[in-house]
Amino acid sequence: MSGSIIFINLAGAVALLLWATRMVRTGIERAYGEVLRERMRSALSNPFKAAVAGFFLAIALQSATAVALIVSGFTASGYVAATIGISALLGADLGSAFVTRILRRDLSLLVPIFLIAGTIAYRTTARRWQEMGRIFFGLGLLLLSLRLIGEASQPLKDSHVLPIIMGYLEQDWVTAFALAALLAWLFHSSVATILLLASLASHGLVPPVLIIPFVLGVNFGGAVIGAMLTRGDEKAARIVPLGNVLIRGFGMVFALALQLVWKFDLTVHFATPADAIVWLHVAANAIVMVLGLPFAGTVAGLLDKWIADPKKDDGEEMTQLSALNPSDLTNPPRALDNATREIIGMCDRIEVMLTRIFDAFLHPDEPQMKQIERLDDSVDRFNREIKLYLAKIAAGDLNADAARRQQELIEATINLEQVGDIISQSMLIKARKKQARGASFSEQGLKELTTMHQRVVRNARLAFNLIVNRDLDHARQLVAEKEIVREMVRNSEENHIRRLGGNVTSIDSSSIHIDTMRDLKEINSLLVSIAYPVLAQAGQLRTSRLL
């Protein structure tokens, strides 16, 4: 078999592994993303708990990088301190490594079972079951890809080039380390890279002396991924992944230096080279976590001093650049795309406002409340500039589809601006009123409000995505949420009236509770309206609710 055919087969198997890993992760994020985020957020109270939470979340998502992005977002939003965020990532690194140990077991019998279960689940009409089908099918493809990698790599035993490359790397461990780090960064997955190396090692294609440099390099490259993906974010979001690079990366470089001096041979301790790769990967991350947790606070403090502060808060424009390029007004399709990009920036601010307003109810903080007000000013500016920009597009140059899209964007912008007003001019006032009265929600009332808020936040993200992807299934799902939220408000009000019989806590916060539920309901209705044009264009929107 020629070298090119071997490479194509191996590349295809690796591509399937990467795609399957992504399929599983997206399925879990869509089905259980909000639950995982909320539980993760509630667990980030101290470094040890944060590390444990990061460990389990990385196992669920099969990716430490995904955890890095989630925790960086929490840190940027002020939910957790950078020290806690770095601790969570150290735990996530170990969780990601543990995933490779699970997947290296002989699970070939599960391939057809997962594929069949995934197909059946995906063919149902329930959205949650469809996402479960995505997860099962992705797991089946993932295990199948590991088998294909093994089969594709077998002919490499007879390769004349591979021994030359490996022979050189055996003499240059630093290059081997750098090559493995580059491979992990290119794959954007240390899990996939370790599984590939383990599969190659099981066929005798990885020399024992390269196991340690390769594994250490993969871990260094895996740490860099999160830092690269957040390099354009604000300072608070960058501290966490960079802290992980300093601790995990320094640990791997230090371990490589020890290997250059002492030249450990791990193969004598394991049955196969593949086992040595996987267990070294787990052990390296476990050691880094244990030794690194005590230094998380020190690293966070150093990075806070070293990283340049843009000296902007969330209420100001994150950048003076705007997608609303006046020169594109003569090209309507491009101008509409520009407006869509600008609306996404508006959505980002709305999401921050919607997320933080609930914290203002639970933990009143005047600087945070002022920040919400500044965000609303920013949303108002977006609304004004986007509408003026869309109005300048020459109507005579628009075809029917473009004219309809122009109107949809204007309506979406208006609705988003109204959402911002409800948060800043209604909900924020209630938060201050609750603080002034010293009132508190009853345990059941708080649970109802929390559930309602989480659902509206999830619907907001779905609506924001719909502005870009115009997915019909997502539009139907979003519109279905309107009746669900209406029923939640109705049940909450009935329960609240019953609690007023003797619960002093409910009496003190009665009007705030009911009005907040109705504010969230109104916000949800405005967000749902973003789906109407998509359904109308597909002929799936009734003109009236009346029978």
Side-chain angles (χ1 to χ4, degrees):
M1 185 180 294
S2 67
S4 59
I5 295 178
I6 295 174
F7 176 78
I8 291 173
N9 289 333
L10 185 59
V14 172
L16 181 61
L17 172 63
L18 296 175
W19 178 257
T21 303
R22 177 179 174 80
M23 181 179 290
V24 174
R25 184 170 68 250
T26 55
I28 292 173
E29 287 176 344
R30 292 178 183 178
Y32 305 104
E34 290 303 317
V35 175
L36 291 173
R37 284 185 176 89
E38 286 302 318
R39 292 192 177 180
M40 179 73 177
R41 202 174 100 183
S42 62
L44 298 178
S45 56
N46 64 61
F48 177 75
K49 287 184 178 180
V52 173
F55 174 84
F56 285 109
L57 186 59
I59 291 177
L61 298 177
Q62 298 188 12
S63 171
T65 302
V67 178
L69 297 179
I70 292 173
V71 175
S72 294
F74 287 162
T75 306
S77 299
Y79 292 133
V80 298
T83 301
I84 302 297
I86 294 174
S87 302
L89 260 107
L90 293 175
D93 294 334
L94 179 57
S96 176
F98 196 72
V99 168
T100 62
R101 181 67 193 98
I102 297 173
L103 295 176
R104 275 299 300 174
R105 298 181 66 87
D106 185 9
L107 304 174
S108 57
L109 181 61
L110 294 178
V111 172
I113 295 175
F114 279 142
L115 294 178
I116 293 171
T119 301
I120 294 173
Y122 193 79
R123 289 175 65 85
T124 61
T125 56
R127 190 73 180 183
R128 178 64 62 86
W129 276 105
Q130 288 182 344
E131 298 305 336
M132 286 299 299
R134 182 188 297 273
I135 296 170
F136 286 139
F137 206 83
L139 287 171
L141 292 178
L142 194 155
L143 297 176
L144 177 62
S145 68
L146 296 178
R147 182 196 301 173
L148 293 177
I149 288 174
E151 295 174 357
S153 59
Q154 283 183 348
L156 289 175
K157 292 181 179 180
D158 302 324
S159 171
H160 299 293
V161 177
L162 187 62
I164 298 175
I165 297 175
M166 292 298 179
Y168 171 77
L169 294 177
E170 287 182 51
Q171 308 302 318
D172 188 351
W173 289 352
V174 174
T175 300
F177 177 93
L179 184 62
L182 178 62
L183 193 63
W185 181 80
L186 290 174
F187 284 179
H188 270 40
S189 172
S190 59
V191 172
T193 311
I194 288 294
L195 289 174
L196 174 61
L197 291 176
S199 182
L200 294 176
S202 65
H203 292 86
L205 299 175
V206 177
V209 296
L210 288 179
I211 289 178
I212 292 180
F214 276 166
V215 172
L216 297 178
V218 169
N219 280 280
F220 184 88
V224 171
I225 297 170
M228 292 296 293
L229 292 177
T230 58
R231 65 186 183 279
D233 293 350
E234 57 185 281
K235 176 181 177 179
R238 293 158 55 203
I239 289 177
V240 171
L242 283 174
N244 185 247
V245 171
L246 286 182
I247 296 177
R248 188 183 182 193
F250 174 80
M252 299 307 155
V253 172
F254 181 73
L256 179 65
L258 291 180
Q259 174 64 4
L260 290 172
V261 175
W262 298 104
K263 297 180 172 59
F264 299 103
D265 183 7
L266 293 179
T267 56
V268 298
H269 303 291
F270 299 96
T272 66
D275 287 341
I277 287 177
V278 172
W279 280 116
L280 174 61
H281 182 48
V282 174
N285 284 283
I287 293 172
V288 167
M289 185 187 75
V290 172
L291 298 180
L293 281 176
F295 297 98
T298 302
V299 170
L302 290 174
L303 288 173
D304 187 56
K305 295 178 181 178
W306 292 345
I307 299 177
D309 190 350
K311 304 201 179 290
K312 295 177 183 175
D313 58 48
D314 293 322
E316 298 174 350
E317 296 298 329
M318 294 179 185
T319 174
Q320 297 301 315
L321 297 177
S322 171
L324 304 178
N325 190 345
S327 63
D328 289 334
L329 289 171
T330 56
N331 186 340
R334 186 177 299 171
L336 293 174
D337 289 341
N338 293 344
T340 302
R341 287 170 52 201
E342 199 74 358
I343 291 176
I344 296 303
M346 189 178 184
C347 291
D348 291 341
R349 287 156 177 78
I350 291 291
E351 183 174 355
V352 174
M353 292 176 66
L354 187 57
T355 302
R356 292 188 179 180
I357 187 60
F358 201 68
D359 285 338
F361 276 99
L362 302 181
H363 310 290
D365 178 66
E366 189 58 31
Q368 187 178 70
M369 293 180 179
K370 292 290 186 182
Q371 199 170 58
I372 292 174
E373 292 176 335
R374 291 193 293 271
L375 277 166
D376 184 52
D377 293 338
S378 178
V379 168
D380 290 340
R381 288 195 297 273
F382 270 89
N383 174 52
R384 180 174 59 255
E385 293 171 4
I386 292 171
K387 286 193 300 184
L388 289 175
Y389 185 80
L390 289 170
K392 291 178 181 179
I393 301 177
D397 296 333
L398 297 175
N399 56 33
D401 290 339
R404 181 171 56 247
R405 181 61 175 161
Q406 179 192 39
Q407 186 60 35
E408 291 174 9
L409 293 176
I410 291 175
E411 292 174 357
T413 303
I414 293 173
N415 289 338
L416 291 172
E417 192 270 339
Q418 290 178 341
V419 169
D421 286 345
I422 293 174
I423 295 172
S424 66
Q425 298 177 21
S426 181
M427 297 183 72
L428 192 59
I429 291 175
K430 295 180 182 66
R432 287 195 168 105
K433 185 184 296 184
K434 175 177 175 291
Q435 180 185 19
R437 292 180 181 177
S440 61
F441 297 119
S442 66
E443 182 178 351
Q444 184 61 30
L446 178 59
K447 183 178 179 181
E448 292 170 359
L449 284 168
T450 301
T451 303
M452 178 72 163
H453 176 259
Q454 290 174 355
R455 196 166 200 105
V456 173
V457 170
R458 188 187 69 179
N459 293 342
R461 291 169 179 154
L462 188 60
F464 300 157
N465 291 337
L466 199 58
I467 293 174
V468 178
N469 62 29
R470 298 178 59 79
D471 183 88
L472 186 59
D473 288 339
H474 287 175
R476 292 178 61 86
Q477 179 185 354
L478 184 58
V479 170
E481 288 289 322
K482 186 171 185 177
E483 186 59 35
I484 294 174
V485 168
R486 183 185 290 114
E487 188 65 23
M488 290 175 65
V489 174
R490 185 184 300 116
N491 292 337
S492 178
E493 291 179 352
E494 292 175 356
N495 294 335
H496 184 71
I497 295 301
R498 284 194 292 268
R499 289 195 296 270
L500 288 178
N503 192 326
V504 176
T505 303
S506 295
I507 295 174
D508 290 341
S509 60
S510 176
S511 62
I512 298 175
H513 175 101
I514 292 177
D515 289 346
T516 301
M517 290 292 286
R518 292 186 175 183
D519 282 340
L520 290 171
K521 174 187 171 184
E522 180 62 22
I523 289 173
N524 189 74
S525 297
L526 290 167
L527 295 170
V528 167
S529 64
I530 293 176
Y532 291 158
V534 179
L535 294 175
Q537 188 174 356
Q540 297 186 18
L541 186 68
R542 290 185 296 178
T543 57
S544 173
R545 289 175 51 86
L546 298 176
L547 297 177

